[in-house]
Each structure stands twice: as C-alpha cells, then as structure tokens.
Amino acid sequence: MKAYRSILFVIVIVIGGVAFFLGVASKDRRRAQQAQQLLTHNNSVINALDTVQILITSKESAVRGYTITGDYIFISHLPRYNKIIAASIDSVRSLVASNIDQIQRLHTITRLINEKDAFQQEIVQARKVSIDSAMHLTASLRGKKLMDQISSSLATMKAAQELLLEDSIIRFRESSRQALRTSIIGAIAVLVFIGILLYRLSRDIQLRRKAEEELMQSEAKYREFVENADVITYTADIQGNFTFISKQVETLTGYLPEELLGKHFSVLIPPDHIPKVAAAYYEQFQARIRETTLTFPIIYKNNGIRWVEQNAILLERDGRAVGFQCVVKDVTEQELVRQKLEKIEAEQKEYQYRIQAILDNAPLMIYVKDLEGRYLVANRQCREVFGLADEDIIGKTVYQVQSNRQSAERYDTADKEVLQNRKSVELEDVLQLADGEHHMLTIKFPLYDKDNNLIGLSGFMKDITESVKARQEMIAARQKAESAETLQEQFLANMSHEIRTPMNGILGMTNLLMQTPLREQQREYVHIIKQSSDNLLVLINDILDLSKIKAGKISIEKIPFDLKEVLQTINATFRMKAAEKQLTFSTLLHPGVPIYLLGDPHRLSQILNNLLSNAIKFTEQGYVSLEINVRERQDKAAIINFQVSDSGIGIDSKQLDLIFESFSQASSDTTRRFGGTGLGLAITKRLAELQKGSIDVASKPGAGTTFTILLPFAISTKEEVARGNTQAIPQRSELDNYSGHHVLIVEDNDVNQRVLKYNLEQYHIDTTVVENGRDAVRWLEKNKTDLVMMDLHMPVMDGFQATDYIRRQLKLNVPIVVLTASVLRNERSRCLQIGANDYVAKPFAPEELRRCLDRFLLRKDANAPQTFMKSPVADNPVFDISMLMQLNNDKAIREIHTVFENTVPAGLDELKQLAIKEDWKGVVELAHKLKSSLGIIQVKDLHEIMTTIETSARNQQGLKEIVPMINECIAAYYHVAPMIKMEIDRALI
Ligand code: ADP
C-alpha cells in the first residue's frame, strides 16, 4: 500500500512538473509567436511604405513624362497609381493602427500625397493648355518640395518602423532564449524530482520487503505458537455455561466438547479458585471490559491440575452483553516454573531477611563494600551510629559518608591494604560523632565468592570508647598506685633513715662508751642502754621487713654458706638466753644434713631467731630445742627440716591458724605478759615462703609447741663457701695496720659523723669529714684518699649522684663504701650498680666496719672483683655539657640551663600524661621536642630513651613500655640534674 502511494506520488509529481513546464513552454512559444508576428508586421509596414514611395516616385515620373511629351500614355495609369497608393496607405494605417505616432505621420503623408496629387492634376491641366505653363509650374519647385517632404516623412516612418522591427527582433531572440532556459531548468528539476522519488521508491520497497519478511517470520512464529500451544476456543453465555467448544479441549481437559457443552465453566475449576475466577469475569461483565487475560488452574479429567491462560472477549449484541468468547492456552509448564521461581525468590528474600536481621541485631557495626570501595550492605548499627539512612550509605564511598577527610583516608588505605594483601587489617581510630568523640576498632577482611574470586571486603566495627576509657583509667590508677607505692617505699626509706640515724648514734656511742674504763654500775647502765637499743632495732627491722615483704621488695640471696656457722651464732645467743630462764637448750644436727649450702643464711638466721625467741619467751620451764634433719636429698639439692620445740604454754587450737597473721597474738593478754607485736611469725612465714619453703605448727596448750620449717637449698661445697666468706673478723693485733690510711667521710648528720670519725680514729685512721656529695666531689677533685665512706641520703647532692659523678665524670676508682640506713635492697644494689664497692647498713656493728676496713685498706680480698672498673657504665659520662660550654658566654649558658631545668621535668610530666591518655600523636611530638632539648645538654641515656619513645609511639609498637620508659626518664633526670648544675657552677666560676 505504502509503495503504491509512493508510485502515485511520483506520477502526480511528474505530471504536475510536466504540466507546469508545458505551460511555461507554451507561454514562451506564444511569446515567440507574438514576436514573430511583430516582426512580420513590421516588415509588412516597411514594405507597404516602400511601395508607397515607389508608386509616388513612378507617378512623379509619369507626370514629368506627360509634361515633357504631352503624350497621354504617360498619365493613363495615374488613377491606378492613386488607387494602389491609397490601398497601400490603408494597409499601412491598419498595420500601425495601434501606434499613434505612426498614425500621425501617416496622416501627414496622406495629406502631402493628396497635396502632391492636386499639384500634379494642376500640371496636367496646365499641359493640356500649354507646355510652357506646365513647365512653369514644374519649375516652381513646389512639386519638388512636396516630393521631398513625402520622401522624408516616409523615411521617418520607415525608420520608426525599423526601430520597432529591431526591437521585435531582440524580443524574439530574448523569448527564444527564455524558452530554452525554462526548458533546461524544467528538465533539471524534473530529473531531481525523479531522482528523489526513485530513491524514496527504492527505500520504500526495501522497507516493505523487510516488513514483509518480518511479517512472514512472525506469521510463522504465530502459526508455530498456535500449533504448539494447543489453543482452544469456546464461547459461553453470560451465566458462564459453555455454548461452543473447540475440539482441542480434550487434550487440555480430558473431556470431549460434547461432554462439556451446556455445563457451567466452574466444573473445570478447582473449588478454591472458583470464587476468584468468577469474580474476575463478573467484574468484566459489570464494567463492560472488552478483553481480559487471566491465569488460573483447571482440573484434568483423570485428576491432576493444569494451568491455563484465558483470553476472554465480552460478546455484545444490540448493546447488551450476551456472553464470552474465550481463547485458552495451556501454560502449566510456564506456571510451574513461575511458581518455582516465585518460591525460590521468596526463600531468597526470607534468607536475606534473616541475614539482615542477624546483621542488624549484631552488637557490631558490619558492612560490606565492593572492590571500588562502595558500600553494598550496612547493618542497623552502622546506620544508627553514623546517623545515616540506607540510601545515604549504599553505593557511596567512605569519602561520601565520612566527613573527616583524614579518617576517610585512613579507612580507605586500610581497604586497599586488605584487597591488596588479601589479609585482614585491624585499625583503631577516633571518630567525631554527633555525641562526641568515639574510639572505634575496625577489623576488615577480604570477601570471596564461591569460586574464590575476590569480590570486596567486609568490616566489623566496634565502639571501644568505654574500654579505652577504662584502659586509660586503669593505667592512670596503676600509675597512681605505683606512685603511691613509690611514695610508701620512699617513706619507708626515709623512716628507716630517720630512725636508724639516731639509733646509729646511740649504738655507736654505746659501743665506744663500753670500750672506755667504766665503773661497775656505769657498765650496767650502758649495758641496759645497749640492750634496749638492740630491741628497738629489732622492732624497727621487723616493721620494715614486713612492709618490704608486703611490697614484694625483699629479695632472697643465693650465696654459699656453712650451716654450722649459722648454728654456732644461734647457739651462742640462745644458750645464754635459755640459761637466763633456766631452760634446757639443745641443738641437734643430724649426720645426713649437708653443711655447705647455697641460699640466704641471713634470712635463715632470722627465721630461726624468731622461732627460738618465741619458744624461750613462751616457756617458763622445761626445754627449748632446735633439731635439723633432711627431708629430701638429691645430688645437688636438699629439703632441710628445721624443728623448734618447746615445753611452754602452747597455743589454743582455735588460734593456731591466726598466729601467722600480722599483728595477731594468741591471747589478748600476751602483750601485757610477754610483750611483742605479733609480727614475728608473719614475717617468718613469708620469709619461708620467699625461699620456696613452708612453715607448720603443732601445739597443745600447757604442753608445748613445735614449729616445723621446710626449706629447699642447693648444695654447695666447702671451697665455694671459703671463697665467698669474706667475713673473717680481724684479730686485735692487726689494729695498727690501718695507720697511715685516710678515709673521706661523707655524712650530713653531726652525730653519725662523730661516731664514724671516733671509730676510725680508734684504728689510727686519718679522716676528713664533708657535709654532702657535692663537697665530696669538690674535695676529691683536689685531694686523694684511700676510701670514701658515703652516706646515701644527703642534701644538695645525695650519695647516688655523688658516686655516679665520681665514677663517670671524674673517672676516679677510689673505693666507695656506702653507708645506708635504708634496708631497701634495691637501694643497695643500685649503689653497686652505679659504682660503689660495698655497703654497710647503719647502725653498723663494729665488726662490720672492721670488715670493710680490712677489705679496702688491707686489700684482704684482692680477689674480689672491682665491679666499677669493669662496669660498662663507667665508660660513659652521665651527661655532657661540652656543647653548651662552646657558647663561651656565661649569661647564655646560664639562661639555657635555666630553660632546661624549667622545661625538661615539666615536659616529662606532660609526656607521661599524654601517654596515659594514649594520645600517641602528642607523645611523638613532645618526645621529639624534648629530644632536641636533651641534645644541647646531653643526658645520654635520656636522649636514647626519648628516641625509643618517639619511634614506638609513631609505629604504634611496644606502647605498653612507654609509660615505664617515661618514669625511667623522670628518675634519670632527677638523678643528673644536681650534677649538671654543679658542673655548670664549677665551669662558670
Ligand atoms: P609476738 O611474739 O611478737 O607476739 P609472733 O608473731 O611472733 O608475735 O607470735 C604471735 C603469737 O603466737 C604470740 O603472741 C603468741 O601468742 C603465739 N606464739 C608464738 N610462738 C609461740 C610459742 N612457741 N608458744 C606459745 N605461743 C606462741
């Protein structure tokens, strides 16, 4: 149809075009004809004018002939000439009728011709009279004049006509050319039209062919579909009863058409679907819907269900619905597939819902991202914590979700790391949320599909603000506890020092006094003073011991010793004490007990002393005994059993468990009756436990008590014991050997200065006394001595600092013996560490002092290593101010030193606070700053530790070590500060 229309269109256009050009051409031809006519016309006019001229001239000749000859022959034709002239004039007139100019001219010519004719008639008449009169008339020139006028008028007219002729020739030529142009344009236009139309035609043909092909294809498809679909058609009346059914119904329902005709359609539908189907068609009928499609199940005759798709067209007649025309198609397979898919989809949805529920209820923020870092899933926690809706997250990247650029970058970097290394990554960050800062711990890990292809990553995120806070609080609390402990320790050290210092004075002076000649009564008094002081010292030692044990500050030594030696001392003491109370005292050392042991003889003595003291104290009559046996014996070790028994008052069984508690006594009147503090057994038990031993008690009130101690010892040898035993007490005869030696006493307490000084002078030793560490250093810079006896706790510069200074700055190896009133063992070991050679506890027994003098003045233990000489610390100065000194400007040096003293301790304190708060960025910055301060006044250890702190904090490694390291720095600073000050003072004098 479309193609025909095109052809029609082409034909119409072509005909139109041709008609138009024919029109144009005929117009051109007419114009050419006109031009032609004009040409002919003009020619006729010119010819006619020529004829008039010729006739006029001929007539003139005839008149002249007659005039001359008088022969009538000449004039016989004159009327004919006139007639022809008149005819010619008429014809000219008719030809130029439309040309007013020419008509006027013609008029003039006619007038002149008539005038000429009249004159010629006059001549003819005159001739008839006489030749002369005729000749006279001829000679009058009137004739000639008229003749010239006629000729010139005719010439004018002819010229005008010739002009017209020329014009008509041009016009003719023009119109011919126009006609040619028109035909060429026309031809081109027609060609173009035809071209376009041919193109359209061919395209239409192509399209039509394609459409036809498609149609053919779809027709084929349709045919195939119809053939395969088992389409059946039927009609039903408006009640739904079948009125016609096509044959194929059998394949679909199992019924023959005739079995169904007249039946209601519902017989074929499962009962539970009837209402729905009926309602649908009732609706179609009510609403007059022309066509509907509905899918529903039908019953197959031999049971079973088929699914059909029914296309129902409402049949109408005279504007009334009369029934349905239906096309039914079996869609059982599609329907089953669809139902299956639907089920799978529902299951999938359910599954997804469950996963989402799990994710949403997990106490973590959980999300999944694709490889480009876009969120695919985010659980409820995520949305709630960040205050975002699902659409604000899903499909977005972290940069769009997290407003803090730095945090976003950190997370993005972690993502990339996870994807690149295919390993999980953990990171902690502080995020600014609506309600403040939150610490977030995130664990990210890669996600794979079932073929093990990386598809993205997932993250678990937990708000650890609370635990971080708790951790920080814990560290702060620990710090507090630690500093409290340090304070307590410090307090103990001070206490110990404060109490022992006067005790030292009392005991020292008592000892000196006892060596002077005394009257009997005086001797007794002095003895009582000594005993009381000794008791007081025991009490102090007990209290301090217990505190130390509780603080875990006591350490057990492992030195070789001779058990018999320990027993000898104990024997000597308690035999006397027992004798005072008239008690039997016995010690029994069983033969199998190893004598040379490796352990702490002092602590063993302490334990036995405590138990035996109690036994004697609580026994009025009978005996006190010490029995030593082996419980277990191996090659290199043994468990030794010490049993202390008495026949004393015994202990109530109810109290037995309590007596090992501190400050507990068996009965409330014990103190009144026996004295004591209730500390002894508590200490004993702990000492035994510290040595990996145990204590047990068995008692019967009124009958006696037995304490059993089991202690493990490694077994030593006689040689080892001999080598370690440096406690040989010199004989009196060696006294003089000390003379000529010099000792520098560094002690701030006036009494103690004197105790020491008098003691040494007894041995003829020269002494110099200085008040503190600084003075000692100054004295040593200029003088020499054989031994320095150095108190630890002194103002200005204490014993530690002075010792350190002497060793590392002055590089002197003079023997230094520290006198310490402190029982804190770490204080003693610290002394040895920084280069002291020995220590003596204050108050000191005369024997102890003698031991030291022997060791360092008589070099009795030449074998003993000079620890400080080999100590690596000895090579390193504690600090170095040479760089500062290079300034060479006293004022500047002082100023920098002041800045150092002001900023470093404050900076260290701040650093500690930052570390406790876990502000690692702050720690890095401040540590770096402090490092540069420590570069000018170089405190070697401090500088190194600070570097470690800085790198640890930066790399987030070994963070737990940072606070202890800062504590170390603080201690180190306070240790060197007075030394630096002294050095600067000295340098700037
Ligand atoms: P203290 O002797 O200073 O009171 P202890 O801790 O040494 O403190 O002893 C605790 C208590 O145990 C004593 O007060 C005493 O009641 C009881 N006790 C200790 N040893 C004996 C003993 N050998 N016989 C009887 N009672 C004892």
Side-chain angles (χ1 to χ4, degrees):
M1 187 65 210
K2 218 176 153 196
Y4 295 132
R5 217 189 297 149
S6 299
I7 292 167
L8 206 68
F9 184 66
V10 172
I11 293 169
V12 167
I13 290 290
V14 169
I15 290 175
V18 168
F20 174 73
F21 284 105
L22 281 178
V24 172
S26 87
K27 211 165 132 199
D28 283 344
R29 207 191 58 227
R30 232 179 296 130
R31 218 183 286 145
Q33 264 173 3
Q34 266 172 14
Q36 179 75 50
Q37 270 171 10
L38 212 58
L39 203 69
T40 320
H41 169 80
N42 284 330
N43 267 328
S44 310
V45 173
I46 289 166
N47 285 339
L49 287 175
D50 282 343
T51 309
V52 171
Q53 179 73 50
I54 290 162
L55 285 171
I56 296 274
T57 311
S58 303
K59 195 178 159 191
E60 174 81 359
S61 304
V63 170
R64 199 170 288 148
Y66 171 69
T67 306
I68 294 166
T69 64
D71 188 350
Y72 277 102
I73 199 85
F74 282 102
I75 56 168
S76 59
H77 293 295
L78 280 186
R80 237 187 97 212
Y81 282 132
N82 280 344
K83 223 191 254 170
I84 296 168
I85 288 171
S88 294
I89 295 261
D90 279 347
S91 111
V92 169
R93 183 174 295 117
S94 71
L95 284 172
V96 299
S98 56
N99 192 331
I100 295 164
D101 289 344
Q102 293 289 68
I103 288 288
Q104 229 151 28
R105 281 182 204 116
L106 193 65
H107 191 71
T108 308
I109 289 167
T110 313
R111 189 180 47 86
L112 287 170
I113 288 172
N114 286 339
E115 240 175 84
K116 177 82 178 174
D117 185 58
F119 183 60
Q120 282 172 333
Q121 289 297 332
E122 210 178 314
I123 290 175
V124 168
Q125 288 308 318
R127 182 60 180 97
K128 277 172 185 169
V129 174
S130 73
I131 189 168
D132 288 341
S133 57
M135 285 302 281
H136 182 67
L137 276 173
T138 306
S140 72
L141 292 179
R142 198 172 138 217
K144 185 175 176 339
K145 212 171 145 195
L146 277 170
M147 191 62 191
D148 287 349
Q149 275 180 339
I150 289 168
S151 295
S152 91
S153 287
L154 278 173
T156 309
M157 219 178 145
K158 211 174 128 189
Q161 207 58 47
E162 270 168 355
L163 266 179
L164 285 172
L165 177 68
E166 239 169 74
D167 190 45
S168 63
I169 288 168
I170 291 168
R171 226 188 279 170
F172 174 70
R173 225 181 267 152
E174 184 60 30
S175 60
S176 319
R177 232 179 264 148
Q178 179 67 35
L180 186 66
R181 265 205 300 263
T182 308
S183 20
I184 290 170
I185 290 171
I188 291 171
V190 167
L191 275 176
V192 168
F193 264 120
I194 289 174
I196 290 171
L197 292 170
L198 278 178
Y199 167 73
R200 277 203 57 173
L201 197 62
S202 89
R203 208 188 54 178
D204 281 354
I205 288 168
Q206 270 177 5
L207 283 175
R208 200 184 62 212
R209 266 203 209 124
K210 207 171 147 202
E212 277 168 358
E213 267 170 31
E214 278 169 6
L215 191 68
M216 265 160 68
Q217 275 174 7
S218 70
E219 258 176 21
K221 254 192 227 159
Y222 178 73
R223 216 171 290 127
E224 191 183 281
F225 169 72
V226 170
E227 277 161 11
N228 295 338
D230 288 331
V231 171
I232 60 168
T233 54
Y234 74 87
T235 55
D237 63 19
I238 208 68
Q239 276 77 40
N241 298 317
F242 294 113
T243 49
F244 162 79
I245 302 177
S246 70
K247 260 191 238 144
Q248 296 95 316
V249 77
E250 198 189 342
T251 37
L252 189 63
T253 64
Y255 294 102
L256 292 169
E258 44 273 33
E259 283 179 280
L260 289 172
L261 266 179
K263 295 245 169 71
H264 192 258
F265 76 87
S266 59
V267 299
L268 286 174
I269 297 180
D272 48 335
H273 283 266
I274 294 173
K276 216 177 108 193
V277 177
Y281 290 110
Y282 183 68
E283 159 80 13
Q284 184 178 6
F285 161 70
Q286 277 287 310
R288 293 292 170 97
I289 300 165
R290 206 189 103 74
E291 197 176 336
T292 59
T293 304
L294 188 68
T295 306
F296 53 88
I298 57 165
I299 304 165
Y300 190 77
K301 191 180 181 181
N302 305 329
N303 77 44
I305 292 284
R306 294 274 174 97
W307 281 82
V308 296
E309 186 186 288
Q310 174 160 288
N311 183 263
I313 293 170
L314 192 62
L315 295 175
E316 283 177 289
R317 197 174 302 137
D318 307 331
R320 258 179 348 109
V322 292
F324 290 95
Q325 158 124 46
C326 298
V327 179
V328 184
K329 201 164 72 180
D330 185 351
V331 293
T332 308
E333 262 167 48
Q334 291 100 301
E335 183 61 21
L336 290 182
V337 168
R338 194 188 62 77
Q339 284 178 2
K340 207 168 181 178
L341 280 176
E342 213 169 54
K343 206 174 137 204
I344 290 171
E345 217 165 88
E347 272 172 12
Q348 230 161 23
K349 256 190 201 148
E350 176 64 24
Y351 184 66
Q352 253 170 8
Y353 175 78
R354 274 186 221 156
I355 288 184
Q356 191 67 42
I358 293 170
L359 290 181
D360 282 350
N361 290 301
L364 288 171
M365 283 162 263
I366 302 173
Y367 54 79
V368 175
K369 287 179 178 186
D370 65 13
L371 291 171
E372 271 74 50
R374 285 183 296 253
Y375 290 92
L376 298 175
V377 175
N379 73 344
R380 199 183 57 205
Q381 297 266 343
C382 261
R383 299 191 297 267
E384 279 175 6
V385 169
F386 293 108
L388 294 170
D390 228 358
E391 61 266 25
D392 297 330
I393 304 177
I394 306 305
K396 305 278 163 67
T397 66
V398 69
Y399 291 103
Q400 292 163 293
V401 173
Q402 174 59 48
S403 53
N404 184 318
R405 176 99 198 154
Q406 274 188 332
S407 285
E409 267 168 17
R410 212 165 299 151
Y411 285 109
D412 192 41
T413 313
D415 283 358
K416 289 190 177 123
E417 207 180 313
V418 170
L419 296 178
Q420 199 169 41
N421 302 339
R422 305 198 168 198
K423 274 194 189 131
S424 62
V425 160
E426 209 179 297
L427 86 160
E428 227 182 285
D429 194 23
V430 182
L431 290 183
Q432 192 67 45
L433 298 180
D435 60 341
E437 278 189 352
H438 283 249
H439 285 257
M440 295 288 184
L441 174 71
T442 308
I443 297 166
K444 297 177 174 226
F445 51 91
L447 283 184
Y448 301 93
D449 66 6
K450 63 181 188 335
D451 301 320
N452 216 27
N453 296 317
L454 189 66
I455 52 163
L457 63 92
S458 180
F460 290 176
M461 209 171 183
K462 195 168 168 57
D463 188 338
I464 51 163
T465 312
E466 289 305 315
S467 56
V468 166
K469 244 189 225 154
R471 196 165 67 199
Q472 287 173 349
E473 276 161 15
M474 226 171 67
I475 292 177
R478 200 176 64 207
Q479 288 293 321
K480 224 167 151 184
E482 268 173 21
S483 60
E485 206 172 87
T486 321
L487 269 182
Q488 190 189 354
E489 203 181 302
Q490 197 58 48
F491 173 76
L492 278 177
N494 291 343
M495 268 286 288
S496 159
H497 182 257
E498 294 310 320
I499 299 172
R500 278 159 189 267
T501 303
M503 286 297 294
N504 191 41
I506 296 168
L507 277 168
M509 285 305 179
T510 308
N511 286 333
L512 286 171
L513 194 58
M514 281 170 87
Q515 286 164 31
T516 59
L518 291 174
R519 281 191 309 217
E520 190 55 32
Q521 204 182 18
Q522 286 171 324
R523 184 166 297 280
E524 198 178 319
Y525 293 162
V526 173
H527 188 74
I528 293 169
I529 294 174
K530 180 164 164 51
Q531 216 164 29
S532 306
S533 322
D534 282 341
N535 286 343
L536 186 57
L537 199 60
V538 169
L539 182 66
I540 294 164
N541 284 343
D542 271 3
I543 293 174
L544 292 170
D545 264 357
L546 192 70
S547 316
K548 274 189 308 175
I549 293 170
K550 278 194 169 165
K553 293 286 177 198
I554 213 156
S555 55
I556 299 296
E557 280 187 315
K558 256 191 153 70
I559 53 172
F561 71 94
D562 183 341
L563 185 58
K564 272 191 182 151
E565 266 179 31
V566 174
L567 286 181
Q568 266 169 21
T569 322
I570 283 175
N571 249 326
T573 315
F574 289 98
R575 184 152 297 151
M576 259 167 60
K577 286 188 177 174
E580 277 168 20
K581 285 184 91 175
Q582 283 152 17
L583 302 172
T584 334
F585 177 73
S586 61
T587 54
L588 177 58
L589 180 63
H590 280 273
V593 179
I595 301 302
Y596 304 106
L597 301 172
L598 197 64
D600 196 330
H602 306 293
R603 298 301 173 194
L604 175 62
S605 301
Q606 205 177 343
I607 288 171
L608 296 176
N609 263 309
N610 278 347
L611 292 177
L612 287 168
S613 297
N614 276 348
I616 287 172
K617 189 157 84 175
F618 295 106
T619 306
E620 292 310 320
Q621 54 184 17
Y623 66 93
V624 167
S625 70
L626 168 63
E627 200 179 326
I628 301 171
N629 215 331
V630 190
R631 171 63 63 91
E632 248 180 70
R633 166 93 207 231
Q634 285 164 358
D635 227 16
K636 293 252 162 84
I639 295 175
I640 297 175
N641 185 355
F642 300 87
Q643 223 165 42
V644 176
S645 309
D646 66 59
S647 57
I649 59 169
I651 305 165
D652 195 323
S653 60
K654 275 186 264 170
Q655 302 298 322
L656 273 183
D657 293 337
L658 296 174
I659 54 168
F660 296 110
E661 303 291 319
S662 33
F663 302 107
S664 82
Q665 295 179 326
S667 63
S668 52
D669 65 347
T670 307
T671 312
R672 192 164 36 79
R673 281 170 61 203
F674 304 102
T677 55
L679 288 177
L681 284 180
I683 293 170
T684 304
K685 181 170 192 250
R686 296 220 165 92
L687 284 177
E689 283 165 358
L690 277 173
Q691 295 175 73
K692 303 202 163 54
S694 62
I695 182 165
D696 207 4
V697 60
S699 183
K700 202 171 173 188
T705 309
T706 300
F707 284 92
T708 309
I709 306 264
L710 292 174
L711 288 177
F713 287 99
I715 295 169
S716 183
T717 59
K718 192 176 177 178
E719 294 69 40
E720 270 177 357
V721 173
R723 209 177 304 140
N725 194 353
T726 58
Q727 302 198 0
I729 293 169
Q731 297 299 306
R732 202 95 176 102
S733 58
E734 290 173 46
L735 268 182
D736 285 344
N737 293 356
Y738 298 136
S739 60
H741 288 289
H742 179 272
V743 172
L744 176 66
I745 298 169
V746 190
E747 167 68 84
D748 63 314
N749 183 287
D750 187 31
V751 176
N752 285 339
Q753 283 176 2
R754 277 188 236 187
V755 170
L756 199 54
K757 188 172 150 72
Y758 296 154
N759 263 305
L760 294 173
E761 280 174 355
Q762 251 196 340
Y763 306 134
H764 309 287
I765 295 171
D766 289 338
T767 57
T768 305
V769 178
V770 292
E771 296 274 330
N772 57 50
R774 187 191 60 197
D775 292 350
V777 168
R778 289 199 173 146
W779 189 91
L780 283 168
E781 279 173 344
K782 300 191 188 94
N783 305 290
K784 273 194 162 16
T785 183
D786 299 309
L787 177 65
V788 179
M789 301 208 82
M790 174 102 72
D791 187 25
L792 271 189
H793 297 270
M794 293 178 292
V796 187
M797 183 185 263
D798 66 23
F800 293 115
Q801 294 161 342
T803 306
D804 209 7
Y805 196 98
I806 291 166
R807 293 290 183 237
R808 294 216 260 177
Q809 302 296 128
L810 300 184
K811 297 201 182 293
L812 293 178
N813 57 12
V814 57
I816 299 175
V817 171
V818 168
L819 293 166
T820 169
S822 166
V823 283
L824 298 179
R825 188 160 292 208
N826 72 335
E827 222 168 63
R828 294 177 182 173
S829 56
R830 228 180 109 201
C831 294
L832 297 184
Q833 251 173 31
I834 57 174
N837 301 70
D838 205 345
Y839 59 84
V840 171
K842 279 200 291 190
F844 53 84
E847 300 79 36
E848 186 67 356
L849 180 63
R850 293 268 297 279
R851 181 182 67 78
C852 270
L853 296 177
D854 279 357
R855 182 177 172 195
F856 296 105
L857 298 184
L858 304 181
R859 302 278 175 207
K860 278 221 165 165
D861 65 336
N863 300 341
Q866 301 274 334
T867 45
F868 65 89
M869 296 291 282
K870 287 171 187 163
S871 165
V873 294
D875 301 333
N876 263 337
V878 197
F879 61 91
D880 182 357
I881 54 166
S882 58
M883 219 154 108
L884 183 65
M885 288 304 158
Q886 279 169 15
L887 283 175
N888 242 342
N889 173 338
D890 291 8
K891 207 174 146 229
I893 290 171
R894 285 251 183 253
E895 254 173 43
I896 290 174
H897 179 239
T898 310
V899 171
F900 178 81
E901 279 194 316
N902 288 339
T903 54
V904 174
L908 286 169
D909 263 359
E910 198 190 331
L911 192 66
K912 186 166 160 181
Q913 293 312 316
L914 288 172
I916 289 172
K917 275 193 280 174
E918 299 191 353
D919 178 355
W920 303 123
K921 224 177 106 197
V923 168
V924 171
E925 279 166 17
L926 189 54
H928 189 80
K929 227 163 88 187
L930 284 168
K931 222 172 63 182
S932 56
S933 298
L934 293 167
I936 299 174
I937 295 178
Q938 287 175 21
V939 183
K940 285 282 162 59
D941 300 348
L942 227 58
H943 195 269
E944 269 165 37
I945 299 172
M946 206 51 70
T947 310
T948 315
I949 291 173
E950 192 192 336
T951 43
S952 296
R954 179 174 295 124
N955 302 338
Q956 303 272 304
Q957 278 165 352
L959 296 176
K960 283 198 194 104
E961 299 304 316
I962 289 182
V963 173
M965 279 196 281
I966 297 171
N967 283 336
E968 208 180 311
C969 287
I970 293 172
Y973 170 78
Y974 285 109
H975 178 65
V976 297
M979 299 191 218
I980 292 172
K981 186 167 166 19
M982 198 186 102
E983 182 100 352
I984 289 172
D985 285 349
R986 200 167 55 107
L988 296 186
I989 281 167

